[in-house]
Each structure stands twice: as structure tokens, then as C-alpha cells.
Amino acid sequence: MTYAVFAVIFKFSNFVCETYNKSWFQFHECRLKAISREKVILNMNGTILHSVYNIQTEGKMFKRESGFKPWLLESKIDACRFMRKNYNPIAKLIFGLFKEFTNINHTCPYLGPQTVRGFYLKPELLKLPFPSGEYMLSLRWFFDQKLQFDTNVSFLFVEDILKA
Ligand SMILES: *[C@@H]1O[C@H](CO)[C@@H](O)[C@H](O)[C@H]1NC(C)=O
Ligand SMILES: *[C@@H]1O[C@H](CO)[C@@H](O)[C@H](O)[C@H]1NC(C)=O
Ligand SMILES: *[C@@H]1O[C@H](CO)[C@@H](O)[C@H](O)[C@H]1NC(C)=O
Ligand SMILES: *[C@@H]1O[C@H](CO)[C@@H](O)[C@H](O)[C@H]1NC(C)=O
């Protein structure tokens, strides 16, 4: 008798950070680390040098198909409003994946160390049906409407039917 087992790979494959204004935001660390075949952790450490009261986050999703092509999601949110109200369902889903690993879970203003430690992807938290593939989520961060830095993260998502 054969039966199917549903297996899922959901892990980081790349992480790129870049600041465009070192007098306001600096990165100290921006790194992935493979813990096992299925688990890759993300660490990010940066500093905001002056209090910021006005933050916009532009999110864009890309899917790799001979180069990354825009895929499905593109939106810009008011991050300060989001931290008060969780008003955007997609941002809520993304933030839900990492809020336990970060110190950014508070309302504006933001100042000083901003860290994400030991963040790894848990398939059970992803409640959207994704086709298998490699994706990139680009987040571009604006303070007072001016681009300050990017955090672009790529991940693999694989659905598998195994026969036993
Ligand atoms: C991040 O992704 C955006 C596309 O949304 C791209 O324009 C930008 O150059 C990328 N940043 C880095 C540091 O690779
Ligand atoms: C860069 O950061 C400074 C604060 O240190 C700010 O006053 C200035 O407007 C920023 N410039 C840009 C282009 O974002
Ligand atoms: C972040 O980097 C700063 C500067 O290198 C360092 O002092 C601090 O301990 C780091 N924080 C974490 C959580 O790694
Ligand atoms: C921050 O964390 C608290 C406690 O874990 C939670 O109740 C709250 O909803 C979180 N805030 C956001 C913006 O997710």
C-alpha cells in the first residue's frame, strides 16, 4: 500500500541589507546561518541614530523565473500606524512570522538598536497557498518619505508529495 505524505521546505536562501543614509541608519550585521538542512536563521542588527516618528515600508514580492519577476504583492504601508492598529492583513501575516524574534514590536518613535535574532521560517505559520519556488521579499524603509535602507530576503518554498 502506498500513501502520500505532505512535506514542506520553507527556509531563507539569501539576505541583503543596504543603508542609503548612514547618518540615520547603520547596519552592523545582516546574515543568514544554516543550523540544519531545513533550518536557516536570520540575524539582523542595526541602529537608528535619531528618533523617527514617520516610517513607510514598501513591500514587493518577486518570484524567481530566470531572474526575479514581480509576483502578486506590492504595497506601501504606514509602519507607525501599523504598529498601533495592525491594519494591513498582509503586513500582519509577515510581521507574525518574526515578531517573537525582534525588539521592534512597539509603537513609534524608534531610536537605537533594532535587532532580529534567530528568526527562522515555520511552515505552519504560512497560511497562504504558494506555488513551489524561490521568492524574494523586498522591504524598503522610508523615514519622513525618504528612502533610508533596504532589507531584501529570499526564501525557498517547496511542496512535496512523498510516497512511502
Ligand atoms: C532590494 O530590492 C529592490 C526591489 O524592490 C531593489 O530595487 C533594491 O536594489 C534591492 N536592494 C538591495 C540592497 O539589493
Ligand atoms: C539623512 O539623515 C539625516 C538625519 O541624520 C536627515 O536629516 C536627512 O534628511 C537624511 N537624508 C536623506 C536623503 O534621507
Ligand atoms: C549590535 O551591534 C552593536 C554594534 O556592533 C553591538 O554593540 C550590539 O551588541 C549588537 N547587538 C546584538 C543584539 O547583537
Ligand atoms: C506586540 O506584542 C504583544 C505581546 O506579545 C502583542 O499583544 C501585540 O499585539 C504585539 N504588537 C504588535 C504590533 O504585533
Side-chain angles (χ1 to χ4, degrees), residues 20-25 49-50 143-144 146-148:
Y20 299 104
N21 187 358
K22 288 196 172 98
S23 73
W24 211 347
F25 192 94
L49 297 159
H50 305 281
F143 295 172
D144 294 342
K146 289 176 289 196
L147 179 63
Q148 301 298 314

Side-chain angles (χ1 to χ4, degrees), residues 16-20 58-62 136-140 147 149-153:
V16 184
C17 303
E18 187 170 343
T19 182
Y20 299 104
E58 183 186 81
K60 274 190 201 171
M61 189 77 105
F62 298 81
M136 178 179 83
L137 176 65
S138 158
L139 297 176
R140 311 196 89 185
L147 179 63
F149 62 94
D150 293 346
T151 51
N152 292 357
V153 64

